[in-house]
Amino acid sequence: MSGATDRSRMTESGLGLKPVYTANDLSGFNADERLGNPGEYPFTRGVYPSMYTGRPWTMRQYAGFGTARESNQRYHELVANGTGGLSVAFDLPTQMGYDSDAALAHGEVGKVGVAIDSLDDMLVLFDGLPLDEVSTSMTINAPASSLLLMYQLAAERQGIPGAKLTGTIQNDVLKEYIARGTYIYPPAESLRLISNIFEYCHKEIPRWNTISISGYHMAEAGATPAQEIAFTLANAKEYVRAALAAGLDVDDFAPRLSFFFVARTTLLEEVAKFRAARRLWARIMREEFGSKNPKSQMLRFHTQTAGVQLTAQQPEVNLVRVALQGLGAVLGGTQSLHTNSYDEAIALPTAKAARLALRTQQILAFETDVTKTVDPFAGSYVVESMTNDLEEEALALIQAVEDKGGAVKAIEEGFQKTEIEKSAYDVALQIDHGERVVVGVNRYQLDEEEPYEPLRVDPAIEAEQCERLAQLRKNRDQSVVDAALEKMQKAAQGNDNVLWPMRDAHAAGATGGEVSDALREVWGKYVPQDVF
């Protein structure tokens, strides 16, 4: 039997895939127990009764590059073209808690996202945008508290109170230790900060999604669908435990938990993955954590199409990939969706490419019939079987994490990272050997690629940001900033919530880097141990 034949009979998670499924594959399947109705426990069929039959998912576009002013222009273009939610990409220094004039930031300012150093930058970023009408998602983790507080302060300058703000901060630092690396503090202190955010938002920004627990980045690093949902839900359990240990009631914070998953081109398995994840989370929250509020048991999630599956070769073919990935997310019941631009494997997307990505979602919503009924695959022999198989495989992986003492202990042992790296290596071998077809890469190549002019970031951005920081520090009242930072450090040394003094510091003109540095002095930095 050839390798190609073997691959054709396996899912991305390495589970068996049969050519034909029949009713025998669902022998003993209790639909009332395993499916229920849409909007009801265990939410396999969707978290809301009507899903898209009333209105479509939130169409987000992930954008942010260069300066706040440039990104603001892109946001206005997206809103004008029908975007209902904005997703902000931050540059690497911002993600790591460094200001643009820090030595470690040199050469990275504005490269992979927008540089936000202070409240002044946040005011520019959202200038002229109605923050009480748009939903904003911010892909930020270790310094999520700072960016959220700057956003709240910017909204207050527009006269909009926190109670009217809607959106999400990613705020999922555990997956940073597993798959990305933009962590700052040790895990215990990071969990403390996340619990502080839960408490703060419950009181100050009640409609805000306080965390987007992410499988996306683990999937981009090579996790299979089963690994993606297993390690994501294992991390989520750790966050719930941390909040409970801090004295919060599960039904006070759990309704604002949200998730973030990838959508691959393997459409059937992706649909099954989303359905299995909902069922798993509902049971975890009800049976393990005793939640009473159905909203605490709903796995609400944002989806982004798979950037790792996009190719620099024949980039226009990515339009087809993204359309299929987006369709899988919709059929799987996502609450919001970002469709990647076809040119993202080459550089930051051009305005035209970003518009085409948004049009892809609009075609799915308004030119197909997939929004006319809830959970179209319910009862499908193949999808129900795959949902069951993925649930079983994910449960085994979650138990493996639990057996090591939970997500943090498993992270410290390198368990999740090692498992994901094994999967990524297997995929790379399959592509190299031709067992996994990637159109334009190992099959159907062109002798010569057509020319493409990517969007480029002006290197002068770094100097501009440094000058803005110099002016900020010159014009602010340094004594007020110092006093606010000292108060925040005292809260960090004890058990008080650090977000209220942190808000005062940012309002006085403290930068994101200064806030992160002040907490580094108290909590230290995380240095991973060599686990191999």
Side-chain angles (χ1 to χ4, degrees):
M1 185 180 294
S2 70
T5 302
D6 289 341
R7 273 301 319 161
S8 71
R9 294 186 181 178
M10 294 172 63
T11 68
E12 292 291 292
S13 297
L15 305 174
L17 189 61
K18 298 169 60 174
V20 177
Y21 285 78
T22 69
N24 291 332
D25 293 291
L26 293 179
S27 178
F29 181 74
N30 186 324
D32 290 338
E33 177 185 320
R34 307 284 282 171
L35 299 183
N37 292 317
E40 296 178 6
Y41 185 89
F43 305 105
T44 311
R45 303 199 61 197
V47 292
Y48 302 122
S50 60
M51 290 301 290
Y52 313 134
T53 61
R55 64 182 179 88
W57 59 93
T58 299
M59 298 180 194
R60 295 192 181 279
Q61 286 306 107
Y62 188 51
F65 62 95
T67 65
R69 184 179 61 256
E70 290 175 296
S71 293
N72 176 262
Q73 293 170 356
R74 176 65 64 85
Y75 294 156
H76 279 280
E77 291 172 5
L78 290 170
V79 170
N81 278 287
T83 295
L86 299 173
S87 293
V88 186
F90 297 96
D91 72 354
L92 195 56
T94 303
Q95 294 180 48
M96 297 294 291
Y98 292 110
D99 291 331
S100 295
D101 58 358
L104 288 172
H106 180 62
E108 294 294 337
V109 177
K111 285 288 181 66
V112 298
V114 61
I116 298 295
D117 293 316
S118 68
L119 173 59
D120 287 352
D121 289 333
M122 191 68 80
L123 289 167
V124 173
L125 183 65
F126 289 102
D127 182 46
L129 293 166
L131 298 187
D132 55 344
E133 297 177 15
V134 298
S135 172
T136 302
S137 174
M138 293 187 279
T139 305
I140 194 72
N141 294 284
S145 51
S146 280
L147 277 299
L148 172 63
L149 293 170
M150 290 181 199
Y151 185 84
Q152 181 190 13
L153 290 166
E156 289 176 355
R157 296 285 182 92
Q158 291 186 10
I160 301 168
K164 289 190 176 182
L165 297 178
T166 59
T168 305
I169 43 173
Q170 192 161 103
N171 195 29
D172 174 15
V173 76
L174 290 181
K175 65 94 173 52
E176 297 297 320
Y177 303 110
I178 296 171
R180 286 190 76 236
T182 64
Y183 43 73
I184 299 175
Y185 319 111
E189 285 72 19
S190 294
L191 288 172
R192 148 85 182 276
L193 187 54
I194 288 168
S195 296
N196 284 179
I197 292 170
F198 289 172
E199 180 188 23
Y200 179 87
C201 287
H202 180 63
K203 296 177 180 178
E204 300 280 345
I205 320 176
R207 298 173 65 196
W208 197 266
N209 295 318
T210 51
I211 192 168
S212 179
I213 306 162
S214 175
Y216 180 88
H217 302 93
M218 290 186 276
E220 291 284 281
T224 67
Q227 290 172 337
E228 179 191 357
I229 59 175
F231 296 151
T232 302
L233 297 189
N235 285 349
K237 291 173 68 172
E238 199 83 5
Y239 293 130
V240 172
R241 290 186 185 117
L244 294 175
L248 303 180
D249 183 86
V250 65
D251 286 324
D252 281 345
F253 67 86
R256 303 316 306 170
L257 301 179
S258 65
F259 293 80
F260 176 24
F261 294 114
V262 78
R264 301 170 179 81
T265 52
T266 44
L267 187 146
L268 294 179
E269 187 175 12
E270 292 300 284
V271 171
K273 178 191 76 177
F274 297 131
R275 301 170 86 251
R278 275 195 296 271
R279 193 156 69 204
L280 276 166
W281 185 242
R283 191 161 69 245
I284 287 169
M285 291 306 294
R286 176 187 275 191
E287 297 179 5
E288 294 188 35
F289 294 111
S291 66
K292 306 297 183 187
N293 186 346
K295 291 184 178 179
S296 299
Q297 302 159 10
M298 294 178 183
L299 185 137
R300 298 171 301 110
F301 63 94
H302 169 67
T303 310
Q304 182 173 336
T305 55
V308 74
Q309 291 188 318
L310 304 187
T311 64
Q313 300 91 336
Q314 302 179 45
E316 292 84 358
V317 176
N318 292 328
L319 285 164
V320 182
R321 292 188 176 104
V322 169
L324 289 170
Q325 293 163 356
L327 178 61
V330 170
L331 291 171
T334 191
Q335 275 59 72
S336 66
L337 176 63
H338 163 79
T339 35
N340 288 327
S341 300
Y342 73 87
D343 53 358
E344 287 188 37
I346 303 171
L348 288 168
T350 61
K352 179 180 180 180
R355 185 170 61 250
L356 284 170
L358 176 60
R359 294 290 183 256
T360 301
Q361 294 201 50
Q362 291 165 338
I363 288 171
L364 289 174
F366 304 115
E367 292 192 19
T368 75
D369 58 2
V370 298
T371 60
K372 291 181 170 62
T373 187
V374 179
D375 192 21
F377 277 112
S380 159
Y381 298 145
V382 61
V383 169
E384 297 296 3
S385 296
M386 293 177 77
T387 301
N388 292 342
D389 290 346
L390 276 166
E391 181 182 15
E392 183 177 342
E393 182 72 9
L395 269 175
L397 286 167
I398 291 171
Q399 188 58 51
V401 172
E402 292 290 289
D403 290 344
K404 294 181 180 299
V408 171
K409 293 291 186 183
I411 286 167
E412 291 171 347
E413 291 185 25
F415 172 68
Q416 301 97 318
K417 188 172 186 290
T418 300
E419 292 297 303
I420 290 169
E421 287 173 350
K422 289 177 183 175
S423 298
Y425 181 67
D426 288 343
V427 169
L429 286 180
Q430 291 161 16
I431 294 172
D432 287 346
H433 296 159
E435 297 171 5
R436 178 186 293 259
V437 175
V438 181
V439 172
V441 174
N442 62 3
R443 199 178 294 185
Y444 311 117
Q445 302 98 320
L446 294 176
D447 293 332
E448 183 176 342
E449 292 286 337
E450 297 176 7
Y452 173 83
E453 185 60 36
L455 178 69
R456 302 189 186 280
V457 175
D458 187 346
I461 286 169
E462 185 171 332
E464 181 180 336
Q465 282 298 112
C466 290
E467 176 58 28
R468 284 176 60 81
L469 281 166
Q471 288 298 316
L472 171 70
R473 294 188 176 110
K474 178 182 177 181
N475 296 329
R476 70 190 182 183
D477 188 330
Q478 190 62 43
S479 64
V480 175
V481 172
D482 290 342
L485 290 174
E486 183 179 353
K487 187 176 180 181
M488 182 190 72
Q489 286 184 313
K490 287 182 179 179
Q493 289 165 350
N495 297 318
D496 291 343
N497 192 308
V498 301
L499 264 76
W500 276 276
M502 188 186 294
R503 181 177 67 182
D504 293 341
H506 283 305
T511 67
E514 289 166 342
V515 165
S516 294
D517 285 343
L519 290 177
R520 284 184 182 100
E521 290 179 11
V522 178
W523 290 339
K525 295 188 293 184
Y526 178 70
V527 179
Q529 300 298 310
D530 187 357
V531 297
F532 302 105

